[in-house]
Structure formats: structure tokens, C-alpha cells
Amino acid sequence: EVKDSSFASEIFAGSLVYGLTMNYDLEKCLTLANIALGLSIQKYGSRASIPDLNSVLTYYTEKFATNNNPSNN
């Protein structure tokens, strides 16, 4: 459920840059950025809506890559 989309684009961009600096392939970078964006719009407020890295990686692992966690890349 969308509660607040404030700063969603900034969260997406920051997550994308994080993935790129970690040398993940572009598909993983975009997937992680989309996950972070999706998690962020479920909360109110700009700071409170920033998901922590563990939440994003856990969601990724559970939904997309059970044996291919991007932190193992």
C-alpha cells in the first residue's frame, strides 16, 4: 500500500548508485533500487521511509535469488 512517495526517486537513485559501487550487474542494481523504492513508499516521512540495507537484501534473496544474494557477487 502506498502511503508516501516523497523522496522515492532519491531512494531509488541512492540504491542504484550503491549497487553500482558494489560492482553488481545492472540488472541486480535496478532490482535492488526498485525494491528499496517499493519498501520506502510503504512508510510516511522522508527519513523514516529509507529502508535499511538488510531489509532490501533480504527481500531480494527471498523473492529473486534464493542462491544468488547480491552481496555474494
Side-chain angles (χ1 to χ4, degrees), residues 9-50:
S9 61
E10 289 82 354
I11 291 170
F12 177 89
S15 300
L16 180 63
V17 169
Y18 170 80
L20 293 171
T21 61
M22 297 301 292
N23 294 316
Y24 299 156
D25 64 48
L26 185 57
E27 182 178 352
K28 286 182 186 175
C29 292
L30 291 169
T31 301
L32 291 173
N34 275 297
I35 292 168
L37 182 143
L39 292 173
S40 75
I41 62 173
Q42 296 176 21
K43 296 180 181 177
Y44 291 107
S46 55
R47 273 187 97 165
S49 68
I50 301 171

Side-chain angles (χ1 to χ4, degrees), residues 48-59:
S49 68
I50 301 171
D52 62 78
L53 179 59
N54 189 50
S55 297
V56 175
L57 294 178
T58 298
Y59 188 96

